[in-house]
Amino acid sequence: MKRHTGQDRSVTQNWKPATQAVRGGTARSEWGETSEAIFLTSGYAYDCAGDAADRFAGEQVGMTYSRLQNPTVEMLEERIALLEGAEACRTMATGMAAMTAALLCQLSQGDHLVQGRAAFGSCRWLTDSLLPRFGIETTIIDARDPQQFIDAVRPNTRLFFFETPANPTMDVVDLKAVCGIARERGIRTVVDNAFATPALQRPMEFGADIVAYSATKMMDGQGRVLAGAVCGTSEFINDELLPFTRNTGPTLSAFNAWVVLKGIETLDLRIRRQSENALKVGRFLEARVPRVNFPGLPGHPQHNLAMSQMEACGPIFSFEVDGGRKQAHALLDSLGLIDISNNIGDSRSLMTHPASTTHSGVAEEKRLEMGVTEGMLRLNVGLEDPDDVIADLDQALRAAGL
């Protein structure tokens, strides 16, 4: 698929990430606007019938239909591709649309994939419930151990699919080791990088083939819109992913693309400040609760691995209380500043109880296999003063008997 942003990739790919985040992919109309324009249109007009035929044949650069191309959406796709270090990107209506398309566009009946046990609840539903309907099998493994990927490989294994850090247990996958295992065997890797974003971690630098996002999270970063993205080679995006998305229609709206473009401009600033805030909050919680699952803390068993492939560990982590769901809910109900919300990546501090929200659709035995206990709480640390977040947690912990 031909692109229309007008920028020279040989120039923009050499910009530093901070510059790419502000200017990457920008295309200006004849009005010369400085902020990206929102093109709210479903269709496009042609000067003649021949132009229409040439565009549909791919012989003329131009738009045909906003399910396939939109100027605002293409600006976002180019910006994310630049930040990721990918040849191409395709955006979608939601993060789960991106995950679903990234898998289904390259899997067929009789194929097999290997998935990390710790994953967002809807991602586990994809592999546990949806893919088996089409004769696609999944082996669930502890992705923290690269050997388990090797042991799970079959002759028909097509994909490794995992999150790092994983939601909500914060399991870290050794990207270099696992991607190397996959490449040696002709298997593709699909990495969910939503918690880190390319501002903190670029899986393709460690050998990943495909990187998928819920751009709803840190890329928007202010809890406003839904969006998803998939990055990969131009061949994969255009020859495998695009035919799937053009015919199934998980299209990102131009308005939502524009909002995410604006969010990405401040992504690096936000995620680094929130990472600093989360580290301070995590240190406080270490002394107050039985377990804190945060690779940014030196005491975490995967701290060194996380720091070897991430620039910082992000604003999201989980912790556990011994009193199960009752105590976890009591803590949530005692919060004053922090919102009870199942979203993450927001500039506001948010907390949820995964077992009764994000992972409630996963059977109890599978939740426990994933490490999602009844006493687990997931915290997104925002841009508020971390001392205010700590004060709110302190009074809530005391109210919950901790």
Side-chain angles (χ1 to χ4, degrees), residues 114-120 123-124 127-128 139-144 148-149 161-163 166-169 171 173 291 302 359 362 366-372:
V114 180
Q115 182 184 16
R117 60 165 193 167
F120 179 50
C123 288
R124 281 296 299 260
T127 53
D128 294 348
T139 298
I140 303 296
I141 55 110
D142 185 342
R144 295 172 296 181
Q148 293 199 25
F149 282 95
F161 178 41
F162 57 89
E163 304 174 14
N167 184 3
T169 61
D171 289 2
V173 180
R291 181 181 178 87
Q302 291 187 290
H359 290 67
V362 180
K366 290 183 179 179
R367 285 203 306 269
L368 294 175
E369 172 198 34
M370 295 165 69
V372 181

Side-chain angles (χ1 to χ4, degrees), residues 46-56 60:
Y46 314 93
D47 291 336
C48 64
D51 284 351
D54 288 345
R55 288 192 199 178
F56 272 83
Q60 182 187 94

Side-chain angles (χ1 to χ4, degrees), residues 353-375:
H353 179 246
S356 58
T357 57
T358 59
H359 290 67
S360 60
V362 180
E364 182 179 5
E365 64 274 13
K366 290 183 179 179
R367 285 203 306 269
L368 294 175
E369 172 198 34
M370 295 165 69
V372 181
T373 67
E374 287 290 329

Side-chain angles (χ1 to χ4, degrees), residues 27-82:
R28 289 182 174 137
S29 74
E30 65 271 24
W31 302 107
E33 65 281 349
T34 53
S35 179
E36 297 83 1
I38 307 175
F39 289 86
L40 296 177
T41 182
S42 56
Y44 305 88
Y46 314 93
D47 291 336
C48 64
D51 284 351
D54 288 345
R55 288 192 199 178
F56 272 83
E59 297 171 359
Q60 182 187 94
V61 174
M63 306 285 170
T64 59
Y65 192 59
S66 280
R67 179 158 45 85
L68 305 176
Q69 315 102 347
N70 177 279
T72 311
V73 173
E74 285 202 352
M75 284 189 270
L76 175 61
E77 290 171 343
E78 179 66 8
R79 185 167 296 178
I80 293 174
L82 285 168

Side-chain angles (χ1 to χ4, degrees), residues 239-381:
D239 297 345
E240 297 184 58
L241 185 63
L242 177 58
F244 180 89
T245 58
R246 73 179 294 171
N247 291 299
T248 57
T251 308
L252 178 64
S253 75
F255 178 79
N256 286 12
W258 182 84
V259 172
V260 177
L261 275 166
K262 295 292 100 183
I264 287 177
E265 290 182 4
T266 60
L267 169 61
D268 189 79
L269 299 173
R270 288 183 287 102
I271 200 168
R272 291 181 189 278
R273 174 59 65 86
Q274 288 179 248
S275 294
E276 293 173 4
N277 290 354
L279 195 56
K280 186 171 185 177
V281 174
R283 291 190 182 114
F284 162 77
L285 285 169
E286 268 190 313
R288 294 292 297 274
V289 298
R291 181 181 178 87
V292 178
N293 306 306
F294 188 27
L297 293 170
H300 190 277
Q302 291 187 290
H303 173 73
N304 290 338
L305 172 61
M307 293 297 94
S308 72
Q309 59 191 35
M310 302 178 69
E311 294 189 30
C313 277
I316 307 154
F317 64 90
S318 60
F319 64 94
E320 298 174 46
V321 297
D322 286 335
R325 181 177 296 205
K326 182 177 180 180
Q327 190 173 47
H329 279 198
L331 195 159
L332 286 169
D333 290 342
S334 300
L335 294 171
L337 173 68
I338 302 167
D339 290 317
I340 302 172
S341 176
N342 51 281
N343 194 25
I344 48 176
D346 200 302
S347 58
R348 300 161 184 80
S349 291
L350 312 172
M351 194 187 299
T352 194
H353 179 246
S356 58
T357 57
T358 59
H359 290 67
S360 60
V362 180
E364 182 179 5
E365 64 274 13
K366 290 183 179 179
R367 285 203 306 269
L368 294 175
E369 172 198 34
M370 295 165 69
V372 181
T373 67
E374 287 290 329
M376 177 179 281
L377 290 157
R378 189 190 66 195
L379 174 62
N380 172 89
V381 181

